[in-house]
């Protein structure tokens, strides 16, 4: 594929993914606000200059902005996109609107504010479950059994006593049903001694092994640093089909698996037990979206199949991205949804809200933390791109 073609696909795929997950996240906040009787002054898809906008019957201004890197809902009384309170504006609203001031987000009971705040991440998780369940029911799922088919050179698993034909059933008491589960449990735990439950010749064997941090080449020519045991699969793929009920169960299980793995990885990074090399930002999302799109189009035998594979793989990727966005927003950092929930928890316990000054300081600290995370993620993304070039 030409450079221009791949560039266009990358831009299209990135905008497609971000638009889906961000709009759903913000619609979660918006509809929860509507349920609680809060007036939304603006709903923005993207940041920066407004490309076009319109006002609905409720008086909400809907806008499409130039930079599709996020979005926000601005409720009545908010000082900005992060829903931080504006003390002067709140006092003016209370005096001017009287009883109608109850349409203001910050005058609502704690449980309603918490519900509106949590609704964004919840919407992301619901979107992910819906995507995974729908794809599972319509297309089925191919998977490899968690059976050892061979070993790479200098395999830590082979040194730990694994044998070909071993079926791994659990890692640190976490159930394993697919070969991918092994990678999910191991890749972010370099050097940690893990306990494996293995079925061998009708008996259960317990083994311990530590994965080594290894630089591996991905299917797109780039390099990633992940922890590996050096186990190879048997290569025989099985196919599972689903009815509507089991598909929903699969969607929930898949979403929880991503939440659990991501949450544990972040905790390992924070405590210094794992390097932050797997953290990615907008550049990494765009890169992955572009790689997925190009590979999908090139796999198609004709234009119709290429378009089908493109949409299916991008929608599947949107499911994973939606989980990530929902989870990141629940981090207890002021400016994110999780930080707001921490403020409301304090208010519920102390019987009074945190002072405006303290909240403002918290928002500034939170912004610094988020920008720091973005810098680390962008550094990882650029290192990956440079590794592909050089």
């Amino acid at each position: 594929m030409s450079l221009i073609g791949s560039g266009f696909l990358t831009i299209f795929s990135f905008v497609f993914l971000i638009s889906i997950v961000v709009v759903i996240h913000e619609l979660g906040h918006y509809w929860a606000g509507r349920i609680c009787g809060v007036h939304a002054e603006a709903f923005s898809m993207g940041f920066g200059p407004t490309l076009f906008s319109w006002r609905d019957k409720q008086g909400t201004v809907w806008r499409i902005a130039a930079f599709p890197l996020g979005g926000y809902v601005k409720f009545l009384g908010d000082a900005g996109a992060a829903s931080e309170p504006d003390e002067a504006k709140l006092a003016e609203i209370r005096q001017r609107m009287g009883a109608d001031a109850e349409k203001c987000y910050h005058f609502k009971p704690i449980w309603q504010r918490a519900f509106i705040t949590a609704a964004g991440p919840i919407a992301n998780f619901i979107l992910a479950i819906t995507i995974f369940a729908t794809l599972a029911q319509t297309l089925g799922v191919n998977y490899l059994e968690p059976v050892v088919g061979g070993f790479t050179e200098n395999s830590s698993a082979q040194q730990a006593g694994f044998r070909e034909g071993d079926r791994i059933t659990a890692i640190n008491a976490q159930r394993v049903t697919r070969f991918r589960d092994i990678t999910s449990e191991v890749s972010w735990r370099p050097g940690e001694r893990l306990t494996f439950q293995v079925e061998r010749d009708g008996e259960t064997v317990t083994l311990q092994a530590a994965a080594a941090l290894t630089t591996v080449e991905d299917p797109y020519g780039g390099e990633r640093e992940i922890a590996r045991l050096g186990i190879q699969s048997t290569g025989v793929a099985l196919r599972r089909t689903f009815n509507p009920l089991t598909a929903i169960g699969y969607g929930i299980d898949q979403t929880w698996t991503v939440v659990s793995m991501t949450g544990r990885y972040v905790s390992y990074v924070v405590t210094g037990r794992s390097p932050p090399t797997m953290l990615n930002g907008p550049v990494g999302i765009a890169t992955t979206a572009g790689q997925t799109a190009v590979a999908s189009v090139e796999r198609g035998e004709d234009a119709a199949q290429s378009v089908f594979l493109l949409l299916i793989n991008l929608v599947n990727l949107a499911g994973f991205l939606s989980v990530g966005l929902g989870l990141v927003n629940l981090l207890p950092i002021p400016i994110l949804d999780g930080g707001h929930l921490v403020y409301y928890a304090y208010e519920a316990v102390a019987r009074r809200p945190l002072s405006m000054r303290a909240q403002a300081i918290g928002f500034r600290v939170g912004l610094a933390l988020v920008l720091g995370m973005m810098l680390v993620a962008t550094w990882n993304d650029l290192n990956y791109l440079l590794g592909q070039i050089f």
Side-chain angles (χ1 to χ4, degrees), residues 2-339:
S2 69
L3 184 62
I4 295 177
S6 62
F8 172 79
L9 266 181
T10 296
I11 294 172
F12 165 79
S13 303
F14 176 69
V15 173
F16 176 82
L17 289 174
I18 293 295
S19 298
I20 290 177
V21 299
V22 170
V23 167
I24 292 298
H25 178 93
E26 298 303 332
L27 281 174
H29 292 310
Y30 173 78
W31 283 111
R34 286 285 300 274
I35 291 171
C36 295
V38 176
H39 173 62
E41 293 184 320
F43 187 109
S44 179
M45 290 167 273
F47 294 104
T50 300
L51 298 180
F52 56 92
S53 63
W54 67 96
R55 186 183 297 271
D56 65 16
K57 295 179 180 179
Q58 284 74 39
T60 301
V61 175
W62 298 74
R63 64 188 293 267
I64 306 294
F67 306 114
L69 298 176
Y72 61 88
V73 180
K74 186 173 183 295
F75 291 115
L76 179 64
D78 290 346
S83 287
E84 64 271 30
D86 184 330
E87 188 171 15
K89 187 174 182 179
L90 291 178
E92 187 272 332
I93 289 173
R94 177 72 80 182
Q95 182 178 8
R96 172 171 53 87
M97 299 184 66
D100 286 340
E102 293 307 313
K103 294 179 181 179
C104 177
Y105 169 80
H106 298 281
F107 295 152
K108 291 296 182 179
I110 296 174
W111 73 266
Q112 289 189 7
R113 282 178 278 148
F115 168 60
I116 295 170
T117 298
I122 290 172
N124 281 128
F125 297 141
I126 292 174
L127 173 63
I129 293 170
T130 302
I131 287 175
F132 295 142
T134 301
L135 292 179
Q137 184 183 347
T138 55
L139 302 176
V141 175
N142 293 327
Y143 68 97
L144 298 171
E145 291 191 286
V147 176
V148 179
F151 303 94
T152 61
E153 187 178 356
N154 299 320
S155 165
S156 59
Q158 191 172 24
Q159 296 171 9
F162 283 87
R163 301 177 188 172
E164 290 188 21
D166 284 351
R167 175 183 289 271
I168 299 173
T169 58
I171 302 175
N172 279 13
Q174 294 289 327
R175 188 167 64 98
V176 170
T177 58
R178 301 163 295 183
F179 195 86
R180 190 176 65 185
D181 295 339
I182 302 172
T183 304
S184 299
E185 286 295 327
V186 170
S187 62
W188 47 276
R189 289 166 148 169
E192 181 180 347
R193 198 157 189 81
L194 305 174
T195 301
F196 297 80
Q197 297 297 320
V198 175
E199 287 184 1
R200 177 187 297 169
D201 299 328
E203 298 181 353
T204 300
V205 179
T206 300
L207 299 172
Q208 290 191 329
L213 192 62
T214 309
T215 300
V216 299
E217 186 173 323
D218 65 21
Y220 309 106
E223 292 185 340
R224 304 280 188 183
E225 270 196 338
I226 61 173
R228 297 186 68 185
L229 288 169
I231 292 176
Q232 297 173 335
S233 69
T234 59
V236 179
L238 302 178
R239 184 173 182 81
R240 182 182 174 189
T241 58
F242 298 82
N243 59 44
L245 187 60
T246 57
I248 293 173
Y250 173 82
I252 294 173
D253 179 69
Q254 180 80 335
T255 301
W256 171 247
T257 298
V258 179
V259 168
S260 176
M261 186 187 74
T262 305
R264 285 181 288 162
Y265 172 64
V266 170
S267 71
Y268 269 55
V269 171
V270 171
T271 56
R273 289 180 289 174
S274 187
T277 52
M278 295 174 68
L279 294 177
N280 298 117
V283 175
I285 295 171
T287 301
T288 302
Q291 291 172 334
T292 301
V294 171
S296 301
V297 170
E298 291 180 344
R299 280 176 52 201
E301 296 181 359
D302 52 41
Q305 188 179 37
S306 292
V307 172
F308 174 76
L309 291 174
L310 174 65
L311 291 177
I312 290 298
N313 289 328
L314 286 182
V315 168
N316 184 58
L317 186 57
F320 288 96
L321 183 59
S322 189
V323 175
L325 178 64
L327 195 58
V328 166
N329 268 278
L330 286 177
L331 292 175
I333 298 174
I335 206 174
L336 299 179
D337 294 332

